[in-house]
């Protein structure tokens, strides 16, 4: 349960240095969502993860995916596991798209404008 929603993990979407991304389904509505799992092995990493989640929750912009909820579980060894609920955004990463698909200069400019506006 994250953000008051019962979820069922559906499939692994991506795995990186400090986070794993899963597609999930809201059990009640069937809505497809994303669960970002951050495993913090120690207190310092846990504090960084908390700061990331707090910052993400505070951001409000049309070009930034909203944080729909979060959950955390502390471990006895000082580490923690954090779960962040986000909307599912199909199509992959902008970087992957730009690297694999030729983009017209105007399309590149529009993408850059959206990224800059979010900053």
């Amino acid at each position: 349960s994250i953000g008051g929603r019962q979820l069922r993990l559906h499939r692994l979407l991506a795995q990186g240095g400090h986070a794993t991304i899963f597609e999930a389904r809201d059990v009640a509505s069937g809505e497809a969502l994303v669960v970002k799992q951050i495993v913090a092995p120690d207190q310092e990493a846990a504090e960084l993860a908390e700061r990331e989640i707090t910052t993400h929750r505070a951001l409000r912009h049309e070009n930034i995916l909203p944080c729909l909820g979060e959950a955390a579980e502390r471990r006895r060894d000082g580490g923690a596991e954090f779960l962040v609920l986000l909307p599912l955004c199909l199509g992959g990463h902008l970087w992957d798209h730009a690297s694999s698909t030729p983009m017209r200069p105007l399309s590149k400019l529009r993408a850059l404008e959206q990224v800059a506006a979010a900053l």
Side-chain angles (χ1 to χ4, degrees), residues 1 4 7 22-23 26 37 40 47 53 60 64 66 74 77 80 82-83 87 89-90 96 98 103-104 108:
S1 176
L7 303 166
F22 297 95
E23 181 179 342
D26 183 308
Q37 176 192 41
E47 289 171 4
I53 293 166
R60 301 277 188 268
I64 298 175
R74 293 284 178 179
D77 64 2
F82 299 89
L83 302 173
C89 184
L90 298 174
D96 293 341
M103 292 178 73
R104 294 181 184 173
K108 288 180 182 180

Side-chain angles (χ1 to χ4, degrees), residues 69-105:
E70 70 274 335
E73 185 175 312
R74 293 284 178 179
R75 299 186 327 215
R76 286 182 235 179
D77 64 2
E81 179 181 342
F82 299 89
L83 302 173
V84 182
L85 186 62
L86 303 162
L88 177 63
C89 184
L90 298 174
H93 296 279
L94 174 60
W95 181 260
D96 293 341
H97 179 70
S99 299
S100 65
T101 307
M103 292 178 73
R104 294 181 184 173

Side-chain angles (χ1 to χ4, degrees), residues 8-16 19-25 32-37 65 84-93 96:
R8 179 173 292 124
L9 294 183
H10 185 62
R11 65 184 172 124
L12 175 69
L13 294 176
Q15 194 163 13
T20 304
I21 309 296
F22 297 95
E23 181 179 342
R25 298 277 175 182
L33 299 160
V34 166
V35 174
K36 178 179 182 180
Q37 176 192 41
L65 293 174
V84 182
L85 186 62
L86 303 162
L88 177 63
C89 184
L90 298 174
H93 296 279
D96 293 341

